[in-house]
Amino acid sequence: MGRNGGRPGTILTFFEWAHARRGHWGVGGVHHLALRVGSPEAQLNWKRRLMDAGVPVSGPLDRGYFTSLYFADPDGQVLEIATAGPGYAIDEPPDALGRRLIAPPAERLPGGRNEEAIARRTHPEPIPVITPDMTLDGIHHITGITDDIELASDFYERALGLRLVKKTLNQDDERTKHYFWARYDGGSVGQHSALTLFGWEGSRHIARPGAGQTHHIAFRTESPEEQAEWREHLLTLGTDVTTVRDRTYFESIYFHAPDGLLLEIATDGPGFGIDEPVNELGAALKLPSWLEPQRPMIERTLAPLR
Ligand SMILES: [Fe+2]
Ligand SMILES: [Fe+2]
């Protein structure tokens, strides 16, 4: 699978549930997901392009480790476009990330920000086309909400081998914690690997599933053999994990985080090129073989893409 062939770390999927009621974020759910952009200049281009299209955008907000734009899709899913850098080593050594709780400086908190200047910042010219430098290069991070951030930390470290790379406070609500985990070798943090949680300790404001809410988050694993090892490891820890499900383009196992968030570990392969040429991905409606006999009925009942 080539660079542009739907590689892991760049994939977003949506279920269509006609007439689904709106969901809402809360404990055990996802607050927002962030896509990665290469530079602050390209990020401002996105702000201009989205706002010209009538999409309200907030930011760019200096989050210290990156800069963030926020908006919502038509279902209300909160999306962020985040810059790749400057990264997590701006306020602690790169070989000792995530060791202590770092309070953000006042200028990054609501009272210390110049909200009017932030709102005014945009690219001076319209952006009629998405230029290569604006490419959204996959997942930057996904942020959920938990009611027990230390329990969550133990889970993501012990069960999934992620490492804490930042312990800080929510920069929009400094009364609550915000922790970041990622693939981290003690020197550098892996791209597309960051999961972050807002800590709403003891909150009973549970996420409501539905349109605009993330259904689940998938982590990748290289092979079915490695996936089987993850499954055994999870079972050893007492995590209730499904059997392997064949998803045609990958194989998946599912389990829940302690706060209720549904997680998946999916194999990299065989990939989206298994049933259509890589240069024609997404052009045709693909059905699993067991649904192929019902294709005429399915095609009749699907809502057209707009
Ligand atoms: Fe974020
Ligand atoms: Fe999935």
Side-chain angles (χ1 to χ4, degrees):
M1 190 66 56
R3 182 171 167 76
N4 300 314
R7 84 197 125 93
T10 70
I11 298 163
L12 274 183
T13 83
F14 287 83
F15 299 127
E16 184 190 54
W17 291 354
H19 314 301
R21 68 172 184 170
R22 278 279 175 108
H24 199 275
W25 37 260
V27 169
V30 165
H31 182 267
H32 66 269
L33 61 94
L35 302 171
R36 184 179 186 274
V37 74
S39 70
E41 296 74 29
Q43 186 182 48
L44 281 188
N45 291 0
W46 275 112
K47 181 175 178 182
R48 179 64 195 254
R49 182 176 166 87
L50 286 162
M51 291 196 69
D52 286 351
V55 179
V57 177
S58 60
L61 286 170
D62 175 13
R63 298 314 201 177
Y65 318 109
F66 43 83
T67 304
S68 301
L69 284 185
Y70 301 93
F71 53 102
D73 78 4
D75 291 316
Q77 169 75 62
V78 180
L79 297 169
E80 172 180 347
I81 293 177
T83 55
Y88 300 105
I90 62 161
D91 52 12
E92 48 190 348
D95 61 352
L97 297 178
R99 303 268 175 92
R100 63 188 179 88
L101 186 68
I102 295 174
E107 62 269 21
R108 299 211 310 255
L109 297 172
R113 299 197 289 247
N114 186 339
E115 303 287 358
E116 282 178 27
I118 291 167
R120 273 198 308 272
R121 281 200 73 199
T122 193
H123 188 79
E125 307 288 334
I127 306 290
V129 291
I130 299 169
T131 49
D133 62 306
M134 292 169 68
T135 298
L136 296 176
D137 184 26
I139 306 286
H140 184 292
H141 61 271
I142 296 172
T143 296
I145 299 169
T146 188
D147 57 347
D148 187 338
I149 206 162
E150 298 303 333
L151 183 66
S153 192
D154 183 64
F155 175 79
Y156 285 107
E157 293 201 303
R158 279 204 310 145
L160 294 183
L162 295 174
R163 302 261 309 268
L164 250 181
V165 294
K166 194 62 62 183
K167 291 164 66 166
T168 186
L169 304 176
N170 183 336
Q171 296 180 59
D172 294 328
D173 176 13
E174 59 191 297
R175 298 164 305 171
T176 55
K177 288 179 179 169
H178 187 190
Y179 284 12
F180 295 62
W181 299 264
R183 195 174 76 248
Y184 171 53
D185 60 8
S188 60
V189 175
Q191 280 182 28
H192 311 303
S193 74
L195 175 77
T196 95
L197 291 173
F198 296 143
W200 290 7
E201 294 308 301
S203 171
R204 302 180 69 160
H205 185 95
I206 307 298
R208 189 177 75 192
Q213 262 294 294
T214 298
H215 183 267
H216 64 274
I217 297 172
F219 296 92
R220 59 175 285 216
T221 190
E222 282 187 11
S223 64
E225 294 74 29
E226 203 175 280
Q227 184 184 56
E229 288 174 21
W230 278 112
R231 188 169 182 278
E232 279 307 308
H233 171 68
L234 289 164
L235 287 171
T236 303
L237 294 178
T239 304
D240 196 10
V241 54
T242 66
T243 54
V244 176
R245 309 275 167 81
D246 179 4
R247 301 310 195 194
T248 306
Y249 310 106
F250 40 83
E251 292 182 3
S252 301
I253 56 175
Y254 302 87
F255 50 99
H256 290 272
D259 49 45
L261 184 60
L262 181 59
L263 301 171
E264 170 181 353
I265 295 178
T267 56
D268 282 354
F272 294 114
I274 190 176
D275 58 2
E276 58 189 338
V278 172
N279 59 0
E280 291 173 20
L281 291 183
L285 175 67
K286 308 310 289 188
L287 296 174
S289 55
W290 49 278
L291 284 177
E292 203 54 64
Q294 298 168 53
R295 175 177 285 272
M297 187 273 288
I298 290 170
E299 288 186 342
R300 257 200 325 276
T301 53
L302 283 177
L305 287 174
R306 283 177 287 157

